[in-house]
Amino acid sequence: SLVIRGEKDEQAVLCSKDKTYDMKIADTSNMLLFIPGCKTPEELNADPSSPNIIHSQIAGFSNNYWELRRCRPKLKKLRKLLMEDPYEGPDSRKDQALTFSKYTTEDLLSLIQASEEEILHQLQVIDACKIEGYWRILEFDYEMKLLDHVTQLIDSESWSLSKVPLRTCLEELGSLEPREMIEHILLSYGRKYVDDGEVYFEMREDKICRAIAQMLLRNAVKFNLSEFQEVWQQSVPEGMTTRLDQLKGLALVDRSSRPETISLLKVEDLPEDNQERFNSLFGIREKWTEADITPYIQDLCAEKQTVGALLTKYARSSMLNGVKVYNSRRLIS
Amino acid sequence: MVQIVISSSGTGALAQWVLVELQGEVEPRQSGSLAGSLLGDLHYTREGIPVLIVGHHILYGKVVQLEKPFAVLVKEGGAPQSGPGAPQGHYTVTALIKTKLLFKTRPKPIITHVPKKV
């Protein structure tokens, strides 16, 4: 079946098992009559014994109907709900207290305007995990602590970054943290595979470097770019190489300031609505190059829509020092 | 959050209805009501062109396969259920409409034959 979902202050959406659609009322000046059992010419031709007169009743008529248009599922709320009570680890006193900010899959289905599959997929994307039946996001410091345990172990055991054994991790780290959490961090930051009956993880360099950058950047508003790059490279595990393109959608580099700086800007903290997103971005920076703005608008693209199309619609382009830049179509105070 | 379920009406294939689209409005004769009144006669020519006779007007239309078919929904009665997670409304799909007869040409009045003056 299909479900129409929405809070009283939200626009209604229709959800199937795996897709979400905006619902709109469409008006027409024409009159639409619906007739049960009315036959089309083909059907009459096919039936040679049809009587001369068929009495049909018009079941009803209307000037409007509901129209569906496939849309992006409204998933920003999902992260917001799970961030109400991030999991800080088994030692945290918080979890022992009864809190109402915990959500099961059923709860999420009744709160988020999206289909079940889209919700489950997004839970995977944001590395949520199920603890005691509730979906939880790890608190960032706790997540970094878990990651640190794993990277230290990889270093001390001199394992290859692409062959980290699950069994040994659980044995060595099981006394420090819950086994489910160790496995969860490996699943979040590595690619699982089986070799000769044993489970291994190929660690994801880009994701690990990105997390460490976030850890460094959240401590101040802005960083000197070259200083940051140095500290960042020193902070990542042995054998990993940092690159600025790992930080797309996470950090913004300002190449117009002297010295060049870098600051944290997470796409998931920006508004979900297209116009509001662009207003917010142009409020942060007046003119953007396509390369800089793309990571911050990529997720707005509808099926078959390109970033270029979005820019044409919501921005105005001009040339600055020989480079094409985009600015707002409207006045931003 | 409000959750309204739309489900199909159980067993069997869904009925197929036809949509008739008219430009303008249909008014009942002599200020009666539309319900129970006769609209008119629908014919098809040998070429499959629908012809609608309403009152003393004749309309020619065409059969159109709908690019986006319609579903006819009927709201299930009863007060909305309370309690979190319980659906607060229920629609059943009664029928599908994949074809429409579109009448968008101007209705022509049918005038009985007036013999020419000899």
Side-chain angles (χ1 to χ4, degrees):
Chain A
S1 356
L2 308 168
V3 185
I4 300 174
R5 295 199 162 106
E7 298 280 2
K8 289 198 174 83
D9 61 344
E10 288 170 334
Q11 301 258 353
V13 298
L14 181 92
C15 301
S16 67
K17 187 115 211 308
D18 63 349
K19 297 188 178 76
T20 306
Y21 301 84
D22 273 324
M23 288 183 76
K24 303 271 183 209
I25 296 185
D27 269 311
T28 172
S29 57
N30 290 356
M31 197 170 187
L32 305 172
L33 308 165
F34 6 110
I35 306 173
C38 175
K39 293 204 190 293
T40 59
E42 288 82 32
E43 287 163 341
L44 285 172
N45 283 340
D47 181 11
S49 67
S50 54
N52 287 324
I53 298 181
I54 304 171
H55 291 278
S56 290
Q57 279 225 326
I58 298 168
F61 61 90
S62 181
N63 278 109
N64 57 59
Y65 52 90
W66 293 350
E67 201 174 65
L68 300 177
R69 201 174 300 165
R70 179 93 194 265
C71 65
R72 285 181 284 120
K74 324 260 184 239
L75 293 168
K76 191 176 161 81
K77 195 174 176 185
L78 178 61
R79 179 180 225 113
K80 176 171 158 259
L81 291 176
L82 296 185
M83 294 284 270
E84 283 171 2
D85 191 12
Y87 182 66
E88 291 175 12
D91 302 328
S92 161
R93 304 278 302 277
K94 261 179 50 183
D95 255 48
Q96 274 128 34
L98 214 79
T99 48
F100 296 111
S101 291
K102 290 204 245 201
Y103 304 94
T104 61
T105 310
E106 277 308 309
D107 292 331
L108 294 175
L109 278 171
S110 71
L111 288 164
I112 313 270
Q113 288 185 299
S115 68
E116 183 168 359
E117 275 188 33
E118 286 163 329
I119 292 175
L120 291 174
H121 178 255
Q122 185 67 2
L123 285 166
Q124 205 186 35
V125 165
I126 62 177
D127 292 326
C129 57
K130 245 188 181 169
I131 298 173
E132 288 170 11
Y134 296 101
W135 285 102
R136 310 294 295 276
I137 276 186
L138 298 188
E139 201 257 321
F140 189 69
D141 287 336
Y142 181 59
E143 186 171 335
M144 289 299 103
K145 185 172 157 212
L146 288 167
L147 184 62
D148 193 51
H149 285 319
V150 168
T151 53
Q152 299 259 32
L153 187 64
I154 293 173
D155 193 45
S156 66
E157 299 282 327
S158 300
W159 286 329
S160 152
L161 288 167
S162 53
K163 200 163 185 177
V164 175
L166 172 65
R167 183 136 61 103
T168 320
C169 283
L170 293 175
E171 280 165 11
E172 296 297 316
L173 302 171
S175 53
L176 299 168
E177 298 292 345
R179 293 165 71 89
E180 305 80 49
M181 289 296 107
I182 297 166
E183 188 163 358
H184 175 73
I185 205 75
L186 285 166
L187 282 165
S188 303
Y189 286 91
R191 255 174 241 110
K192 185 175 174 178
Y193 65 96
V194 177
D195 184 24
D196 209 9
E198 289 287 323
V199 176
Y200 294 95
F201 289 89
E202 182 191 347
M203 300 315 286
R204 293 160 65 178
E205 179 175 8
D206 290 348
K207 195 166 177 182
I208 293 176
C209 289
R210 192 182 165 96
I212 290 171
Q214 181 175 337
M215 192 174 67
L216 295 170
L217 288 169
R218 58 207 279 263
N219 292 326
V221 174
K222 256 196 252 262
F223 277 91
N224 174 306
L225 179 64
S226 48
E227 279 173 23
F228 166 79
Q229 283 179 296
E230 223 182 285
V231 174
W232 184 30
Q233 180 60 66
Q234 287 164 11
S235 309
V236 300
E238 186 82 38
M240 288 196 179
T241 311
T242 57
R243 290 183 331 266
L244 279 177
D245 68 74
Q246 291 163 342
L247 307 183
K248 285 195 175 147
L250 176 72
L252 193 58
V253 172
D254 187 354
R255 297 206 182 269
S256 64
S257 61
R258 295 280 167 269
E260 292 176 332
T261 59
I262 184 168
S263 54
L264 195 65
L265 178 63
K266 292 183 355 185
V267 62
E268 51 262 31
D269 290 340
L270 298 172
E272 196 172 24
D273 168 78
N274 287 15
Q275 187 62 65
E276 284 177 39
R277 172 80 61 93
F278 275 93
N279 291 352
S280 169
L281 287 171
F282 289 125
I284 291 165
R285 182 184 276 187
E286 201 190 328
K287 294 185 202 288
W288 291 75
T289 61
E290 186 169 342
D292 280 349
I293 204 172
T294 297
Y296 293 102
I297 57 174
Q298 186 84 65
D299 61 311
L300 300 178
C301 290
E303 233 176 327
K304 295 176 198 160
Q305 190 179 30
T306 61
V307 163
L310 276 174
L311 286 168
T312 306
K313 185 168 178 187
Y314 293 98
R316 190 181 286 139
S317 72
S318 56
M319 295 300 276
L320 183 68
N321 301 331
V323 177
K324 191 173 192 184
V325 290
Y326 294 89
N327 57 295
S328 176
R329 278 181 178 273
R330 37 172 87 173
L331 291 165
I332 303 274
S333 51
Chain B
M1 172 185 284
V2 174
Q3 292 205 76
I4 301 174
V5 176
I6 301 177
S7 59
S8 86
S9 47
T11 56
L14 283 170
Q16 301 271 351
W17 291 7
V18 166
L19 194 70
V20 169
E21 186 169 344
L22 303 172
Q23 268 187 351
E25 284 173 37
V26 173
E27 277 176 6
R29 207 195 284 245
Q30 283 153 354
S31 65
S33 75
L34 284 175
S37 304
L38 173 70
L39 172 71
D41 297 338
L42 176 67
H43 305 262
Y44 293 109
T45 66
R46 223 162 264 152
E47 291 86 34
I49 303 214
V51 177
L52 188 63
I53 301 178
V54 180
H56 62 266
H57 285 100
I58 183 165
L59 299 97
Y60 292 91
K62 63 176 180 174
V63 178
V64 176
Q65 296 306 320
L66 292 171
E67 224 177 77
K68 284 191 181 182
F70 283 103
V72 180
L73 306 180
V74 172
K75 195 167 189 177
E76 297 294 316
Q81 297 167 45
S82 56
Q88 281 106 304
H90 198 154
Y91 286 92
T92 314
V93 180
T94 313
L96 291 181
I97 302 176
K98 297 189 183 166
T99 317
K100 75 175 175 187
L101 306 178
L102 174 62
F103 293 93
K104 60 179 185 184
T105 56
R106 210 190 175 99
K108 292 196 185 53
I110 303 169
I111 304 169
T112 47
H113 176 71
V114 175
K116 284 201 184 90
K117 278 207 159 101
V118 172

